[in-house]
């Protein structure tokens, strides 16, 4: 039987980078405190920027952009930053045109995190808030007459 001679060790390098070589994935949850507003009413817009994998590092000061588009080709771009280590952010806006507005938060990416964007949220701006008029009814035996009189006088 012939003796087997071990070959020298060869170092191989993968052409496919590992996950550690890539930026971490990021995502944005974003929304509004109200989705139907009166004209010229202010609304709070807030969200959370998060990364995966989350290694517990601070996400404070991450630069994001809130994009507000609306009627008559209105486009408003608001730079915002996360305000705490957990990635929370907030801003507000006064809507001064009637109609449907689209809201979205975006992150351009960085040396550590991939770019991402939130889902598009819609806000409807209306002229006035809705009101209902209730009239208490009465029956032939006059039951409910007092309540009926209060709502019709």
């Amino acid at each position: 039987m012939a003796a087997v001679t071990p070959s020298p060790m060869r170092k191989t390098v993968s052409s496919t980078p590992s996950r550690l070589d890539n930026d971490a994935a990021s995502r944005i949850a974003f929304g509004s405190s109200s989705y139907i507003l009166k004209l010229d009413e202010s609304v709070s817009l807030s969200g959370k920027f998060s990364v995966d994998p989350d290694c517990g590092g601070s996400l404070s000061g991450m630069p994001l952009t809130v994009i507000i588009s609306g009627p008559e080709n209105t486009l408003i771009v608001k730079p915002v930053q996360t305000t705490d280590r957990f990635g929370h952010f907030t801003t507000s806006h006064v809507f001064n045109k009637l109609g449907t507005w689209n809201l979205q938060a975006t992150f351009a990416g960085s040396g550590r995190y991939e770019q991402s964007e939130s889902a598009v949220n819609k806000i409807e701006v209306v002229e006035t808030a809705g009101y209902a008029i209730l009239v208490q009814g009465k029956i032939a035996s006059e039951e409910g007459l007092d309540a009926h009189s209060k709502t019709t006088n």
Side-chain angles (χ1 to χ4, degrees), residues 2-97:
V4 177
T5 308
S7 63
M9 298 222 3
R10 291 189 316 187
K11 188 176 184 179
T12 59
V13 178
S14 172
S15 63
T16 306
S18 70
R19 181 67 184 160
L20 296 174
D21 294 335
N22 292 338
D23 295 344
S26 70
R27 58 185 177 275
I28 303 171
F30 178 61
S32 169
S33 60
S34 181
Y35 291 96
I36 297 180
L37 305 171
K38 288 188 337 182
L39 188 62
D40 294 322
E41 187 172 54
S42 178
V43 67
S44 176
L45 309 172
S46 60
K48 184 176 188 307
F49 173 78
S50 56
V51 296
D52 183 31
D54 182 357
C55 297
S58 177
L59 296 175
S60 181
M62 298 303 296
L64 304 171
T65 304
V66 172
I67 301 168
I68 304 169
S69 59
E72 302 172 18
N73 296 317
T74 303
L75 181 64
I76 299 149
V77 178
K78 291 184 162 208
V80 297
Q81 285 191 342
T82 56
T83 56
D84 63 22
R85 67 180 315 276
F86 304 108
H88 294 103
F89 63 96
T90 186
T91 187
S92 63
H93 187 71
V94 175
F95 292 87
N96 59 1
K97 291 183 182 172

Side-chain angles (χ1 to χ4, degrees), residues 133-137 147-148 151-152:
I133 299 173
L134 302 176
V135 177
Q136 176 72 34
H148 176 77
T151 60
T152 57

Side-chain angles (χ1 to χ4, degrees), residues 133-139 142-153:
I133 299 173
L134 302 176
V135 177
Q136 176 72 34
K138 65 177 182 152
I139 58 175
E142 301 298 323
E143 182 181 346
L145 181 60
D146 290 338
H148 176 77
S149 296
K150 286 180 186 176
T151 60
T152 57
N153 290 337

